[in-house]
Amino acid sequence: MGSSRHPDQHQHDQRHPEPGAPEDPAGSLAEVVRTPLSRRTLIGAAGAAAALTAVSWSPAFRVAPAEAASAAPPDFPAGLTVYQQAWSNWSGEIVVSPLWTCSPSSPNDVVTLANWAYAQGWKIRARGKGHGWSPLLEPNGASGNILMVDTTENLTAVTVHSGSPASVTAQAGVTMLNLLTDLENAGYGLTNTPAPGDLTLGGVLAIDGHGSSVPAAGETLAAGHTFGSVSNLVTSLTAVVWSASANAYVLQTFSRSDPDIAAFLVHLGRAFITSATLTVGPNVRMRCQSTYTTNVATLFAPPASAGSNSYAALVNQTGRVETIWFPFTTVPWLKVWSVSPSKPFFSVEVNSPFNYSFADSVTTTESGYIADILNGDVGITPTFENLEMSIVGSGLIVTGTWDIWGWAKNTQLYVLPSTLQVTANGYAILCARANLQRVVSEFYTYLNNALNAYAANGQYPMNGPWEVRVTGLDNPGDCGVAGAVQPQLSALRPRPDEPAWDTAVWMDVLTVPGTPQSQQFYRETEQWVLSNYTGSYAAVRPEWSKGWGYSGTAGWSDPTILGTTIPNAYRVGQAVGDNWDTALATLDRYDPARIYSNTFLDGFLP
């Protein structure tokens, strides 16, 4: 079953609010109608620093060998085309000048490239969409003998296998949008999936991509689904690995019961996966209700005073909740999904994803505020944050999307490349479900107090939202394979010594890159998180695609966090021979020449 189609965007009819719809928080819809702003205009308006929020991570251009300023890779395999291409990551903080790039047509071509790289002393990097923050693909300014291998052009095949259990075999370069579309057409879907549709399957598996869902009160997990990461659904995968007997890199398929697959299920860029087979379950209809009428202090109240509108209470009701709170505002954008086989009367049926068009472009007003903030006028941050929330509230009404209903993916996918591209830290807090409200309440209290203390000194290090999601953990039994092993490097790996921990709370703090004091603030926040969620109460693991390891001047750079704190988070409670060190040893055994590495990974995953 092919996966190259790109469904047209579904256009909503504007309509007047139905009974029970949220009120317009801005007082007048006309005041916050979003006028799309081109990236070129944004860059011109906001200056070089603000341009970081607008750079597309998609490759910008191609340069053929004859036009390149540097010599082409030596003895490049015949029949494969090589070219130079520049790119940047999602937030624009990682920018790489033109690197030699190849788009293989088949997994066998990847084998050819791996053996070429081994013979020539080059590195090859599996590149999907680059929609991430951390330097797992390449650090900023990477150069040298590096070959980018673009999986998105040709390694996109999808085959759905009906039956019981059902499964899907997909190549690593297929986007999640196309994969979920193919599954939907065959009657299947995923419970947990990231919000952007332009992520590749390979990228999602590399960093334990996830969604936001745990079992609602009384809910039983349906066969073929998981409340954990997408990696937890893998039943087998194929990778290009070193074979000692062949003295070469070869294609090898690993089953989910093979102990070695535990290192590949979440590999952080230290492997090259060409395809994977995942178990899948029946697709479901989902309702997503968006509101902005619950006070943030009520939503994140301390457990002793938490009521029916608390975060934990809402999670108990439906199991699927996300909140987006802009500091210095009183109400967050609250999304509550629920499984709903029949369309509720007031819901709008949606037949495609990305339904929040008001969040998918940058207005001229927003651009002006960003420019002013980055030019030093940080005192307008509260005004900017309130503008952002007003746009959400009015946008929900103008587009009629405060209550939507459709197949799962059409409510789960909502982030487009044109969304304001900010930087973000990210952590998974492992805890018992009973402590969910305590976890979010403590973080809100810390964040609110810290930002108010900064504001009292005329400083505003955060000008994006705080986002909260909740998932289950990676229970290997969910994939349906007898003897299935756990992903060793997944943030959602259970802790055998803490059997009550069944929940992960994902926390992301967003801001525009280059915001004054933001690096210091990220450092302080990370240190507080690590000191607060400890002992038998909770534990912290990084969200691999986001920011972590803050030194105070940069992310991914604190030697203690990189060399001790994070590795220990994957050792504590795990059996010797099945932990962080085991995963690194396995990845090295299948890539002893470290052709699948970069300068950052050489230090972080030595």
Side-chain angles (χ1 to χ4, degrees):
M1 185 176 295
S3 60
S4 60
R5 59 183 172 277
H6 297 276
D8 293 335
Q9 290 286 53
H10 177 69
Q11 299 297 322
H12 289 283
D13 292 329
Q14 293 186 6
R15 62 190 183 114
H16 296 293
E18 299 285 358
E23 296 180 357
D24 173 19
S28 170
L29 299 180
E31 294 178 7
V32 289
V33 170
R34 297 177 66 91
T35 303
L37 181 71
S38 72
R39 297 187 182 284
R40 184 179 301 275
T41 303
L42 175 60
I43 292 173
L52 291 173
T53 67
V55 177
S56 171
W57 67 94
S58 300
F61 56 85
R62 291 187 178 186
V63 177
E67 303 168 314
S70 58
D75 299 323
F76 201 72
L80 295 178
T81 301
V82 67
Y83 50 90
Q84 283 189 323
Q85 198 163 52
W87 64 280
S88 88
N89 72 335
W90 168 261
S91 63
E93 293 171 287
I94 296 176
V95 180
V96 176
S97 297
L99 290 178
W100 290 104
T101 306
C102 180
S103 300
S105 297
S106 68
N108 285 329
D109 284 349
V110 179
V111 174
T112 298
L113 291 171
N115 285 305
W116 167 83
Y118 173 68
Q120 298 295 330
W122 276 54
K123 307 286 188 183
I124 67 172
R125 309 299 296 137
R127 194 192 73 198
K129 291 295 187 177
H131 185 150
W133 288 257
S134 60
L136 299 180
L137 177 56
E138 282 295 345
N140 188 41
S143 62
N145 295 339
I146 303 167
L147 179 71
M148 287 285 185
V149 180
D150 183 358
T151 64
T152 65
E153 288 198 14
N154 303 306
L155 299 181
T156 59
V158 176
T159 303
V160 179
H161 313 283
S162 300
S164 183
S167 64
V168 60
T169 299
Q171 290 183 316
V174 68
T175 63
M176 294 302 293
L177 171 60
N178 287 338
L179 174 60
L180 292 171
T181 299
D182 284 346
L183 286 173
E184 179 183 295
N185 290 337
Y188 303 104
L190 303 183
T191 294
N192 261 345
T193 185
D198 65 315
L199 308 178
T200 62
L201 175 62
V204 168
L205 296 181
I207 52 86
D208 66 348
H210 58 91
S212 186
S213 69
V214 293
E219 180 179 2
T220 301
L221 181 66
H225 289 270
T226 185
F227 290 116
S229 69
V230 176
S231 293
N232 194 46
L233 294 173
V234 171
T235 60
S236 67
L237 59 79
T238 300
V240 179
V241 301
W242 178 258
S243 167
S245 59
N247 197 35
Y249 284 85
V250 300
L251 284 168
Q252 182 170 333
T253 299
F254 299 83
S255 72
R256 185 61 185 270
S257 58
D258 184 340
D260 285 351
I261 199 176
F264 289 91
L265 293 168
V266 179
H267 59 78
L268 311 185
R270 273 291 285 120
F272 200 125
I273 309 300
T274 58
S275 66
T277 297
L278 291 73
T279 188
V280 294
N283 203 11
V284 298
R285 297 277 195 174
M286 300 283 290
R287 181 187 194 184
C288 184
Q289 295 172 279
S290 288
T291 61
Y292 48 83
T293 56
T294 302
N295 187 279
V296 64
T298 300
L299 187 67
F300 299 118
S305 59
S308 60
N309 284 330
S310 69
Y311 192 85
L314 294 172
V315 170
N316 285 337
Q317 292 172 25
T318 71
R320 298 151 177 85
V321 179
E322 178 185 57
T323 187
I324 300 174
W325 176 60
F326 295 91
F328 309 107
T329 67
T330 58
V331 293
W333 180 5
L334 180 63
K335 294 196 193 88
V336 178
W337 291 263
S338 55
V339 177
S340 183
S342 300
K343 187 181 89 67
F345 183 77
F346 289 121
S347 296
V348 173
E349 182 173 357
V350 293
N351 297 308
S352 64
F354 313 115
N355 292 287
Y356 306 114
S357 57
F358 53 86
D360 295 333
S361 62
V362 181
T363 66
T364 303
T365 303
E366 288 174 291
S367 175
Y369 277 128
I370 293 170
D372 290 342
I373 290 170
L374 294 176
N375 286 329
D377 187 9
V378 296
I380 63 173
T381 297
T383 303
F384 175 66
E385 297 279 36
N386 277 273
L387 169 67
E388 295 295 277
M389 192 58 218
S390 294
I391 287 172
V392 169
S394 296
L396 288 168
I397 295 175
V398 168
T399 60
T401 52
W402 66 85
D403 187 346
I404 61 176
W405 175 87
W407 289 116
K409 87 169 195 315
N410 297 331
T411 67
Q412 293 169 320
L413 301 181
Y414 58 86
V415 175
L416 283 173
S418 53
T419 302
L420 181 64
Q421 292 160 20
V422 291
T423 190
N425 70 1
Y427 307 98
I429 313 299
L430 273 61
C431 65
R433 177 76 173 266
N435 283 327
L436 171 57
Q437 187 67 22
R438 176 184 171 187
V439 168
V440 296
S441 177
E442 289 175 352
F443 198 101
Y444 166 71
T445 300
Y446 159 79
L447 187 61
N448 193 47
N449 289 342
L451 292 177
N452 284 333
Y454 268 94
N457 292 322
Q459 298 174 336
Y460 295 87
M462 177 184 173
N463 46 49
W466 168 45
E467 299 181 353
V468 183
R469 293 167 292 169
V470 181
T471 67
L473 303 188
D474 283 340
N475 177 1
D478 294 349
C479 74
V481 174
V485 299
Q486 298 174 352
Q488 288 167 333
L489 298 181
S490 172
L492 296 179
R493 188 181 191 191
R495 278 271 298 269
D497 61 328
E498 297 289 352
W501 292 359
D502 56 359
T503 300
V505 186
W506 298 86
M507 308 282 198
D508 297 328
V509 174
L510 284 64
T511 198
V512 173
T515 298
Q517 285 84 44
S518 60
Q519 288 295 325
Q520 171 187 319
F521 174 66
Y522 275 141
R523 164 77 175 181
E524 293 169 356
T525 299
E526 182 171 69
Q527 293 297 315
W528 178 85
V529 167
L530 292 171
S531 65
N532 187 73
Y533 300 110
T534 59
S536 60
Y537 163 38
V540 181
R541 289 176 182 155
E543 184 171 5
W544 292 124
S545 66
K546 301 289 177 58
W548 30 270
Y550 291 96
S551 65
T553 58
W556 317 289
S557 60
D558 180 86
T560 300
I561 293 176
L562 298 182
T564 302
T565 307
I566 293 177
N568 284 345
Y570 289 85
R571 292 178 181 129
V572 175
Q574 307 297 341
V576 175
D578 186 17
N579 57 21
W580 170 271
D581 305 293
T582 313
L584 270 57
T586 300
L587 294 169
D588 270 347
R589 178 156 45 89
Y590 285 103
D591 180 30
R594 298 184 70 90
I595 66 170
Y596 306 132
S597 191
N598 62 37
T599 54
F600 172 75
L601 292 176
D602 283 343
F604 180 52
L605 306 176

XYZ file of all heavy atoms in Angstrom, residues 1 3 5 7 158 160 168 170 174-199 201 230 233 278 280 283 353-354 407-410 412-413:
363
model
N 0.855 -1.193 0.000
C 0.000 0.000 0.000
C 0.878 1.225 0.000
O 1.750 1.393 0.833
C -0.900 0.003 1.236
C -1.908 1.139 1.256
S -3.005 1.005 2.692
C -3.844 -0.529 2.299
N 2.327 5.215 0.037
C 2.224 6.236 1.084
C 2.667 7.596 0.594
O 3.145 8.409 1.355
C 3.085 5.825 2.281
O 4.421 5.710 1.881
N 0.775 9.872 -1.069
C -0.242 10.907 -1.227
C -0.194 11.891 -0.064
O 0.192 11.557 1.038
C -1.628 10.279 -1.338
C -2.033 9.438 -0.154
C -3.397 8.821 -0.418
N -3.728 7.857 0.614
C -3.314 6.607 0.606
N -2.536 6.183 -0.355
N -3.670 5.768 1.571
N -2.967 14.261 1.662
C -4.364 14.672 1.688
C -4.500 16.189 1.702
O -3.751 16.904 2.345
C -4.887 14.063 2.996
C -3.938 12.944 3.312
C -2.618 13.382 2.783
N 4.802 1.509 2.502
C 3.947 1.093 3.610
C 3.100 -0.093 3.165
O 2.498 -0.061 2.095
C 3.008 2.232 4.064
C 2.049 1.749 5.149
C 3.801 3.431 4.558
N 0.129 -2.581 4.897
C -0.723 -2.907 6.032
C -1.120 -4.373 5.954
O -1.568 -4.850 4.910
C -1.976 -2.013 6.056
C -2.864 -2.383 7.242
C -1.587 -0.542 6.110
N 1.603 -3.272 10.538
C 2.009 -2.480 9.396
C 3.525 -2.534 9.293
O 4.235 -2.449 10.295
C 1.523 -1.014 9.521
C 2.094 -0.341 10.770
C 1.879 -0.208 8.279
N 6.573 -0.544 7.535
C 6.811 0.747 6.906
C 8.294 1.050 6.888
O 9.025 0.720 7.828
C 6.057 1.847 7.656
N 8.960 7.238 5.721
C 7.561 7.640 5.579
C 7.186 8.605 6.695
O 7.623 8.449 7.842
C 6.629 6.403 5.600
C 6.607 5.733 6.965
C 5.220 6.786 5.177
N 6.406 9.625 6.357
C 5.965 10.550 7.392
C 4.843 9.918 8.198
O 4.106 9.048 7.726
C 5.462 11.875 6.795
O 4.311 11.621 5.972
C 6.553 12.552 5.973
N 4.684 10.411 9.419
C 3.601 9.907 10.255
C 2.245 10.237 9.648
O 1.289 9.461 9.777
C 3.713 10.474 11.666
C 4.945 10.000 12.436
S 5.048 8.190 12.593
C 3.641 7.848 13.657
N 2.142 11.364 8.961
C 0.881 11.692 8.297
C 0.520 10.628 7.276
O -0.615 10.122 7.253
C 0.984 13.062 7.619
C -0.194 13.434 6.714
C -1.503 13.459 7.497
C 0.050 14.774 6.024
N 1.459 10.262 6.428
C 1.164 9.276 5.399
C 0.967 7.889 5.993
O 0.115 7.119 5.532
C 2.280 9.256 4.352
C 2.231 10.483 3.462
O 1.206 11.122 3.331
N 3.361 10.821 2.865
N 1.739 7.549 7.011
C 1.575 6.252 7.661
C 0.193 6.149 8.297
O -0.521 5.141 8.122
C 2.659 6.061 8.712
C 2.552 4.799 9.585
C 2.615 3.542 8.733
C 3.648 4.785 10.638
N -0.211 7.175 9.041
C -1.506 7.142 9.700
C -2.654 7.191 8.692
O -3.722 6.610 8.927
C -1.621 8.301 10.687
C -0.705 8.211 11.906
C -0.734 9.511 12.706
C -1.093 7.043 12.801
N -2.437 7.864 7.564
C -3.461 7.886 6.511
C -3.664 6.497 5.925
O -4.799 6.048 5.722
C -3.071 8.881 5.410
O -2.967 10.195 5.968
C -4.108 8.896 4.298
N -2.569 5.806 5.651
C -2.674 4.447 5.129
C -3.346 3.521 6.138
O -4.168 2.666 5.776
C -1.287 3.914 4.756
C -0.774 4.506 3.452
O -1.573 5.109 2.718
O 0.423 4.368 3.165
N -2.988 3.692 7.404
C -3.629 2.877 8.434
C -5.119 3.189 8.525
O -5.958 2.281 8.619
C -2.955 3.116 9.787
C -1.570 2.501 9.981
C -0.963 2.963 11.297
C -1.642 0.978 9.936
N -5.455 4.456 8.496
C -6.863 4.846 8.567
C -7.661 4.248 7.416
O -8.784 3.754 7.609
C -6.970 6.367 8.544
C -8.385 6.906 8.599
C -8.430 8.416 8.511
O -7.923 9.073 9.429
O -8.961 8.936 7.501
N -7.087 4.285 6.232
C -7.790 3.741 5.062
C -8.031 2.243 5.180
O -8.944 1.699 4.549
C -7.006 4.043 3.787
C -7.023 5.519 3.439
O -7.919 6.255 3.863
N -6.032 5.970 2.691
N -7.190 1.588 5.993
C -7.350 0.141 6.196
C -8.123 -0.175 7.471
O -8.303 -1.356 7.802
C -5.975 -0.529 6.235
N -8.542 0.866 8.208
C -9.338 0.654 9.407
C -8.555 0.578 10.702
O -9.096 0.122 11.720
N -7.298 1.067 10.685
C -6.455 0.967 11.878
C -5.930 2.349 12.280
O -5.974 3.298 11.513
C -5.282 0.011 11.632
C -5.725 -1.367 11.215
C -5.620 -1.781 9.889
C -6.269 -2.254 12.136
C -6.038 -3.040 9.497
C -6.696 -3.516 11.763
C -6.580 -3.903 10.435
O -7.012 -5.150 10.061
N -5.394 2.422 13.498
C -4.846 3.683 13.982
C -3.977 3.464 15.200
O -3.776 2.327 15.646
N -3.444 4.559 15.745
C -2.589 4.530 16.928
C -3.267 5.310 18.054
O -3.951 6.303 17.807
C -1.217 5.133 16.648
C -0.375 4.522 15.521
C 0.978 5.216 15.455
C -0.207 3.033 15.702
N -3.041 4.861 19.277
C -3.538 5.599 20.436
C -2.628 6.768 20.756
O -3.086 7.866 21.054
C -3.642 4.673 21.662
O -4.639 3.688 21.412
C -4.032 5.447 22.912
N -1.318 6.564 20.700
C -0.335 7.595 21.019
C 0.483 7.929 19.785
O 1.146 7.050 19.218
C 0.605 7.115 22.134
C 0.202 7.642 23.496
O -0.592 8.568 23.597
N 0.745 7.071 24.550
N 0.459 9.181 19.371
C 1.295 9.618 18.256
C 1.641 11.086 18.464
O 0.830 11.846 19.017
C 0.586 9.420 16.906
O 1.476 9.741 15.828
C -0.667 10.279 16.801
N 2.830 11.533 18.058
C 3.180 12.951 18.203
C 2.239 13.843 17.401
O 1.600 13.405 16.442
C 4.616 13.010 17.666
C 5.141 11.609 17.810
C 3.956 10.716 17.567
N 2.186 15.125 17.766
C 1.272 16.066 17.121
C 1.687 16.490 15.715
O 0.816 16.751 14.884
C 1.104 17.303 18.000
N 2.984 16.598 15.371
C 3.345 16.964 13.998
C 3.161 15.778 13.053
O 3.469 14.627 13.395
C 4.831 17.347 14.097
C 5.096 17.525 15.562
C 4.161 16.588 16.256
N 2.696 16.046 11.862
C 2.531 14.978 10.877
C 3.733 14.780 9.998
O 3.834 13.772 9.288
N 4.684 15.729 10.021
C 5.821 15.648 9.112
C 7.014 14.930 9.718
O 8.093 14.930 9.132
C 6.241 17.049 8.662
C 6.759 17.885 9.814
O 6.128 17.880 10.880
O 7.809 18.536 9.649
N 6.866 14.317 10.871
C 7.927 13.472 11.411
C 8.001 12.188 10.612
O 6.991 11.660 10.152
C 7.643 13.126 12.871
C 7.340 14.261 13.843
C 7.034 13.700 15.224
C 8.491 15.235 13.899
N 8.800 8.075 10.407
C 8.744 6.944 11.328
C 10.116 6.676 11.927
O 10.239 6.416 13.129
C 8.222 5.702 10.610
C 8.217 4.416 11.433
C 7.313 4.532 12.644
C 7.823 3.220 10.565
N 5.579 5.062 20.484
C 5.414 4.358 19.209
C 6.405 3.197 19.132
O 6.088 2.136 18.599
C 5.605 5.328 18.029
C 5.522 4.583 16.697
C 4.568 6.452 18.079
N 5.355 -0.390 20.034
C 4.520 -1.194 19.143
C 5.340 -2.045 18.177
O 4.784 -2.900 17.478
C 3.589 -0.284 18.335
C 2.519 0.472 19.130
C 1.795 1.466 18.225
C 1.520 -0.499 19.750
N 5.091 -2.804 12.997
C 4.437 -2.428 14.240
C 3.073 -3.106 14.323
O 2.359 -3.206 13.315
C 4.228 -0.918 14.330
C 5.442 0.008 14.493
C 6.236 0.122 13.210
C 4.968 1.400 14.927
N -0.762 -2.958 15.212
C -1.727 -1.863 15.203
C -3.097 -2.406 15.581
O -3.364 -3.607 15.463
C -1.807 -1.161 13.825
C -0.499 -0.446 13.513
C -2.142 -2.159 12.722
N -9.010 1.399 14.346
C -9.088 2.852 14.435
C -10.314 3.250 15.251
O -11.284 2.487 15.355
C -9.192 3.455 13.030
C -8.739 4.898 12.981
O -8.156 5.413 13.927
N -9.007 5.560 11.864
N -6.455 16.269 9.197
C -5.836 16.837 10.408
C -5.492 18.311 10.240
O -5.845 18.941 9.253
C -4.584 15.977 10.572
C -4.230 15.595 9.172
C -5.525 15.452 8.428
N -4.777 18.852 11.240
C -4.270 20.234 11.245
C -5.428 21.232 11.163
O -5.497 22.054 10.256
C -3.264 20.446 10.116
C -2.235 19.363 10.004
C -2.179 18.545 8.888
C -1.347 19.128 11.039
C -1.253 17.523 8.798
C -0.410 18.110 10.956
C -0.367 17.298 9.833
N -11.929 10.682 12.732
C -10.995 9.585 12.959
C -9.794 10.083 13.755
O -9.437 11.261 13.686
C -10.557 8.970 11.645
C -11.633 8.184 10.952
C -12.213 8.457 9.746
C -12.253 6.978 11.431
N -13.174 7.514 9.453
C -13.220 6.583 10.470
C -12.109 6.199 12.588
C -14.019 5.456 10.617
C -12.899 5.078 12.744
C -13.841 4.709 11.773
N -9.164 9.185 14.478
C -8.175 9.566 15.489
C -7.139 10.553 14.967
O -6.887 11.592 15.592
C -7.493 8.310 16.037
N -6.528 10.258 13.834
C -5.425 11.105 13.381
C -5.873 12.528 13.099
O -5.083 13.480 13.201
C -4.759 10.510 12.141
C -5.374 10.901 10.815
C -4.555 10.514 9.619
C -4.996 11.220 8.357
N -6.439 11.265 8.104
N -7.141 12.708 12.735
C -7.617 14.038 12.374
C -7.788 14.946 13.579
O -7.928 16.160 13.431
C -8.929 13.930 11.600
C -8.748 13.186 10.293
O -7.678 13.209 9.703
N -9.792 12.494 9.849
N -5.605 14.155 16.375
C -4.303 14.017 17.046
C -3.213 14.858 16.408
O -2.299 15.328 17.091
C -3.865 12.547 17.040
C -4.718 11.619 17.880
C -4.386 10.169 17.614
O -4.145 9.760 16.476
N -4.370 9.358 18.665
N -3.247 15.028 15.086
C -2.217 15.793 14.376
C -2.668 17.238 14.246
O -3.725 17.518 13.680
C -1.972 15.207 12.983
C -1.511 13.740 12.903
C -1.303 13.334 11.447
C -0.233 13.525 13.698
